[in-house]
Each structure stands twice: as structure tokens, then as C-alpha cells.
Amino acid sequence: MTIRVLIADDQDTVRRGLRRLIDAQSDMGVVAEAADGVQALALARSVRPDVALVDIRMPRLDGLDVTRLLAADTGPAAVRVVVVTTFDHDEYVHAALEAGACGFILKRSGPALLAEAVRAAVAGESLISPAVTVRLLKHLAPRRTEGVESNPLTPRETELARLVSRGFSNADIAAELFISVGTVKTHVASIQAKLGTANRVGIAAWCWRTGRADP
């Protein structure tokens, strides 16, 4: 089934570029475009795309407010939001994730990561540009001495959690550990359940908070 995508950005050239990248993927397509936050919110609620790519800075209603309002909508028709922006300031990343974004991608990240972020959002995962992941987690969860907080994970799960904290995707982890993507998904689900986290960002934050992340 084709993943239906909404693009919200106040720059026409950016919207055209994102449309080309999305429409070039065999499993997704753009169903609507918005030039400001109010229009983005209205289209998201009427067209009901699977994923909305939302810029941070937009007229009338900024991307963070759009994200927060869409994240408040629950149910089978809920729209997942991936923030796609030029600005990688820590406060923006933190605010976007707190507002309920399923991902935070820099516009310079390239088509492969953008497509992966869309797929991750549909799969219920979160993806942050590797360029900001480690810096963000260091800022949000300063490292402590290992062992201060007990580790409920198995050695294999701990190893996998460390890779998550480095921004690895499921495919990257599968290649690194020589296991299937399906096995990675099973491990990630188990880790989230044991740690009580809602997504991969929570796993990575736990690694940094407990000193189990790679330096």
C-alpha cells in the first residue's frame, strides 16, 4: 500500500524538491501540499495522510504547533509527523519530540534518510538525523556512572540499544549484528517494554542517562 504524504513548507522550491524525492519512492506519494501551518492543519485533518512532513518555521501557525495539534488526534486515522527543517538547534529538536513528532530530519540529510524517516513513522518508530542525535541526547540526558541504574536488558539487548543510541536504523543494526530486520524489530519491542519507553528516542536517552551509550 502506498504511504500517503503531506508536505508543509512555506517555500515553494522546498516543497517541489520534497515532492520529487517522495514521488520517486515506489511505496509512497504526495497527496497534498501546504504553504503555512493553518493550511497544513486543515489539509491533514481533511485528507488524512499517513505522514506529514512539517517545517519548523511557517506563517500563521508554526510547525511545532501543527505537530502538537496533530499528535493530539488519536485513532486509526492519526497523522504521524516528521519535522523536516534547516534548523538543528537543540531547543527545536527537543520541542518537536515533546510535541509528538515521530522524527526530526535535516533538509540536507538526503533522500534516503528522508524516505527512511517516513517509513519509520508509519512503522511506529522514530528517526532523528544522525547529525543531531548524539548531541541532542547528551544535552537531554547527561551521562552518569554505569551501574547507578539497574539494567533490565540482556547483554544482546544492551548491545542493540547502544546501536540505537548511535542513530542506527533497523536495517543498519541488522547488518552490524548479522541478524534479520525482523529479529531487530522483536528486540526493539522487547527493549521498549522493559524500559517503559514509547520509541527509539527513549531507548537512546536511557543509554546516555545510564552511561551505556558508546562514547
Side-chain angles (χ1 to χ4, degrees):
M1 182 180 295
T2 300
I3 301 171
R4 304 168 71 251
V5 179
L6 162 69
I7 296 173
D9 194 292
D10 61 332
Q11 296 185 45
D12 183 61
T13 54
V14 172
R15 292 198 308 276
R16 287 201 303 269
L18 291 174
R19 174 182 278 276
R20 283 195 298 270
L21 295 178
I22 293 300
D23 286 344
Q25 306 300 313
S26 61
D27 59 342
M28 61 187 70
V30 176
V31 294
E33 294 183 19
D36 62 61
V38 172
Q39 185 182 23
L41 189 62
L43 283 172
R45 288 175 169 171
S46 61
V47 177
R48 285 296 175 184
D50 299 301
V51 178
L53 302 179
V54 178
D55 190 18
I56 288 281
R57 295 182 179 178
M58 291 190 294
R60 298 209 288 170
L61 191 67
D62 69 27
L64 295 177
D65 286 331
V66 171
T67 300
R68 191 174 297 107
L69 291 168
L70 289 180
D73 292 339
T74 58
V79 179
R80 299 168 179 86
V81 178
V82 173
V83 172
V84 183
T85 183
T86 305
F87 308 100
D88 65 343
H89 305 307
D90 289 342
E91 60 268 27
Y92 283 152
V93 186
H94 189 190
L97 296 176
E98 287 290 321
C102 294
F104 190 99
I105 303 297
L106 299 181
K107 290 177 180 177
R108 63 176 181 270
S109 296
L113 194 65
L114 175 65
E116 188 175 352
V118 172
R119 296 186 185 105
V122 172
E125 301 175 355
S126 298
L127 194 153
I128 305 174
S129 287
V132 300
T133 300
V134 172
R135 190 188 75 242
L136 167 69
L137 292 170
K138 284 181 177 178
H139 173 70
L140 295 181
R143 299 184 67 195
R144 299 175 184 171
T145 303
E146 185 168 359
V148 171
E149 184 175 324
S150 62
N151 183 1
L153 307 181
T154 66
R156 186 61 155 178
E157 289 171 341
T158 301
E159 181 181 21
L160 194 144
R162 285 193 175 104
L163 295 178
V164 170
S165 75
R166 292 169 58 187
F168 278 42
S169 67
N170 284 349
D172 293 333
I173 294 171
E176 181 76 13
L177 301 182
F178 301 102
I179 56 179
S180 70
V181 173
T183 299
V184 174
K185 290 181 178 179
T186 299
H187 280 312
V188 170
S190 175
I191 293 169
Q192 288 180 189
K194 289 181 179 180
L195 299 182
T197 63
N199 51 46
R200 300 164 76 89
V201 177
I203 295 174
W206 175 83
C207 286
W208 282 101
R209 186 177 66 249
T210 61
R212 294 182 172 92
D214 291 331

